[in-house]
Amino acid sequence: MLRIGELATKTGLTAHTIRFYEKSGLINASQRSESGYRYYTDTDVRQAEFVKTARKIGFSVDDVSTLLSIRVDKSNHTCQDVTEITQRKLNDVNEKISELLLMQQTLKILLNSCCGGPESATHCSIMEALDASNALKPRIVAE
Amino acid sequence: MLRIGELATKTGLTAHTIRFYEKSGLINASQRSESGYRYYTDTDVRQAEFVKTARKIGFSVDDVSTLLSIRVDKSNHTCQDVTEITQRKLNDVNEKISELLLMQQTLKILLNSCCGGPESATHCSIMEALDASNALKPRIVAE
DNA sequence: TATAAACTTAGAGTTAACTCTAAGGTCAAG
DNA sequence: CTTGACCTTAGAGTTAACTCTAAGTTTATA
């Protein structure tokens, strides 16, 4: 039986975060001492590790909550239930990546266009591009 | 001279956002009517468009604030000043992309490992992977 | 003149996931 | 029996960038 600090050490979460996850319904201490201390069993530890893993992959706290409800009652859920959550997450991630790649491309073009030296910014091509407001139409990257 | 609603239409911002940007020091109305209505000149419009462009590229409100302070006093700033901000932003973006690519790869592996069908989740390999907690070590992607 | 659209302000609410604080109780070691 | 590490709670604060509300004023149009 571990106390919250030990669980924290073991999982790499903080005690604060574990209590926050408890409020969010993700992690529960199977036992409490008379004085109120949380005590975690091996089963609790495994659940906490599941949470940590799922969060690290990028699932939201809400997603993890859903995944846990499947986990405790696997026979009443299907692989489809699980892949749906995973696929939705992958779609989110793909979309964010697309946005960021666009930003990346634009930023690279801006950087390529500017000397970056100690010259006055009076004719800085980055500033000019931001003013021209077609800075958002990146074409072929001059790699 | 445009009123705030017209500037909003012109820039694709909302009037709310324009007022928020005013509080943040990004956009100012050159004039106010006696009753307090904001009136925007062509110069103001150009600045608002600059802000919109910079925000769309991914610069934070804080970054835009800095870029604007360079913009109004170009001769006292250098190309280096501008590229530094841009490079920092690119670094941020690159880092986020890396994180997301890792997530993407993990999620793809998970999806590949699971049938996704109407079978019971009792032996779902996604659930097993999350439990195994080495789900975070993606190797070569089985594309 | 009446109405509706547009404007004003200060300030609160939203989102996600923590993160921290205050004020106090518990426990093991010396 | 004291010290210090660890624990408890409720609740507030953080971050970024909006987004919205309420209550009232102004302006243009019919």
Side-chain angles (χ1 to χ4, degrees):
Chain A
M1 301 278 268
L2 304 180
R3 295 199 308 193
I4 196 166
E6 297 164 318
L7 181 63
T9 306
K10 194 148 193 174
T11 56
L13 301 165
T14 70
H16 275 305
T17 301
I18 293 168
R19 288 193 204 96
F20 168 74
Y21 284 166
E22 184 178 297
K23 265 193 241 166
S24 309
L26 302 191
I27 293 175
N28 253 287
S30 292
Q31 310 245 346
R32 289 277 189 138
S33 73
E34 277 197 7
S35 57
Y37 278 32
R38 292 166 177 82
Y39 280 94
Y40 297 92
T41 63
D42 281 1
T43 305
D44 296 337
V45 173
R46 261 175 263 123
Q47 178 154 340
E49 278 163 352
F50 180 98
V51 170
K52 179 81 193 297
T53 302
R55 286 288 299 122
K56 205 159 186 177
I57 289 171
F59 288 109
S60 69
V61 167
D62 245 37
D63 289 335
V64 177
S65 178
T66 308
L67 288 170
L68 283 171
S69 67
I70 294 175
R71 186 173 182 266
V72 298
D73 188 20
K74 284 181 186 163
S75 56
N76 278 315
H77 290 88
T78 64
C79 282
Q80 195 177 0
D81 295 339
V82 181
T83 53
E84 260 170 26
I85 296 167
T86 311
Q87 185 66 57
R88 216 179 318 118
K89 191 74 221 165
L90 179 57
N91 293 345
D92 289 357
V93 167
N94 284 338
E95 199 172 320
K96 273 189 206 148
I97 289 173
S98 296
E99 286 166 16
L100 286 170
L101 286 175
L102 198 61
M103 286 186 203
Q104 186 192 51
Q105 201 183 3
T106 307
L107 290 167
K108 278 184 183 173
I109 290 170
L110 290 178
L111 282 171
N112 274 335
S113 76
C114 180
C115 65
E119 292 83 350
S120 153
T122 319
H123 302 296
C124 172
S125 40
I126 294 181
M127 295 306 282
E128 278 168 10
L130 292 173
D131 259 318
S133 83
N134 60 352
L136 296 178
K137 282 178 113 192
R139 307 127 235 256
I140 299 102
V141 191
E143 184 78 38
Chain B
M1 301 278 269
L2 305 181
R3 295 200 307 194
I4 196 165
E6 296 164 317
L7 180 63
T9 306
K10 194 149 195 173
T11 56
L13 301 165
T14 70
H16 276 304
T17 300
I18 293 168
R19 288 193 202 96
F20 167 74
Y21 283 166
E22 184 177 299
K23 265 191 243 166
S24 310
L26 302 189
I27 294 175
N28 252 286
S30 292
Q31 308 245 348
R32 289 277 190 137
S33 74
E34 278 197 8
S35 57
Y37 278 32
R38 292 166 177 83
Y39 281 94
Y40 297 91
T41 64
D42 281 2
T43 305
D44 296 337
V45 173
R46 261 175 265 122
Q47 177 154 341
E49 278 163 351
F50 179 97
V51 170
K52 180 81 194 296
T53 302
R55 286 287 300 123
K56 206 161 186 176
I57 289 172
F59 288 108
S60 68
V61 167
D62 244 37
D63 288 335
V64 177
S65 178
T66 308
L67 288 169
L68 283 171
S69 68
I70 294 174
R71 186 173 182 265
V72 296
D73 188 19
K74 284 180 187 163
S75 55
N76 279 316
H77 290 90
T78 63
C79 283
Q80 196 178 359
D81 296 339
V82 181
T83 53
E84 260 170 27
I85 296 166
T86 310
Q87 185 65 58
R88 217 179 316 121
K89 190 76 221 166
L90 179 56
N91 293 345
D92 289 356
V93 167
N94 284 339
E95 197 172 322
K96 273 188 205 149
I97 288 174
S98 296
E99 286 167 15
L100 286 168
L101 286 176
L102 198 61
M103 286 187 203
Q104 186 192 50
Q105 200 184 2
T106 307
L107 290 166
K108 277 184 182 173
I109 290 171
L110 289 178
L111 282 170
N112 274 336
S113 75
C114 179
C115 65
E119 292 82 352
S120 153
T122 318
H123 301 294
C124 174
S125 42
I126 293 180
M127 294 306 280
E128 278 168 11
L130 291 174
D131 258 319
S133 80
N134 60 353
L136 296 176
K137 282 179 115 190
R139 309 126 232 258
I140 299 102
V141 191
E143 186 77 38

